Amino acid sequence: QVQLVESGGGLVQAGGSLRLSCAVSGGIFRLIPMGWYRQAPGKQRESVARISSGGVPVYADSVTGRFTISKDNAKNTLFLQMNSLTPEDTAVYYCNAGYVGDYPPYPYWGQGTQVTVSS
């Protein structure tokens, strides 16, 4: 019923760019994509970027200035533009979705999309 369809991951060289997308549907009420998390091997899942219903973004310090989160409300789709990628950005990236009033991390997750940055 609830679906978070992610795309855009892949293998890029250091300094390159990728754009991730997350299309969200389902739920008893409208499910809203809220942000992106990532998890690298041996590390905890961490918040990368979040965006409020009003469109205000919040970024992790490690990606500020390089990543940009945005959304298309009409399509209920979330994006993450990733520039100046480094090998430390290598991780599985997960879309996170929920409802207004929930606390992050929100209860719904995408399957994850692998981002690999080579040196």
Side-chain angles (χ1 to χ4, degrees):
Q1 183 180 0
V2 174
Q3 291 187 321
L4 286 70
V5 181
E6 298 163 318
S7 62
L11 174 64
V12 297
Q13 292 181 305
S17 298
L18 287 172
R19 186 175 186 246
L20 307 183
S21 299
C22 173
V24 177
S25 63
I28 299 173
F29 305 100
R30 188 169 185 265
L31 193 65
I32 302 171
M34 300 291 189
W36 294 92
Y37 287 70
R38 68 184 181 187
Q39 187 167 24
K43 296 184 178 180
Q44 296 293 313
R45 189 172 297 186
E46 63 176 352
S47 177
V48 177
R50 294 163 52 194
I51 189 165
S52 71
S53 59
V56 180
V58 178
Y59 299 98
D61 290 343
S62 59
V63 307
T64 296
R66 299 188 298 119
F67 291 12
T68 302
I69 188 170
S70 61
K71 60 183 178 180
D72 184 336
N73 289 329
K75 297 181 179 179
N76 205 28
T77 300
L78 192 69
F79 304 98
L80 185 67
Q81 179 66 46
M82 305 185 295
N83 298 327
S84 301
L85 287 163
T86 75
E88 292 188 350
D89 294 316
T90 295
V92 178
Y93 284 70
Y94 298 91
C95 182
N96 187 220
Y99 301 102
V100 174
D102 287 346
Y103 296 100
Y106 301 96
Y108 298 99
W109 297 92
Q111 80 286 350
T113 184
Q114 177 70 48
V115 171
T116 302
V117 185
S118 62
S119 60

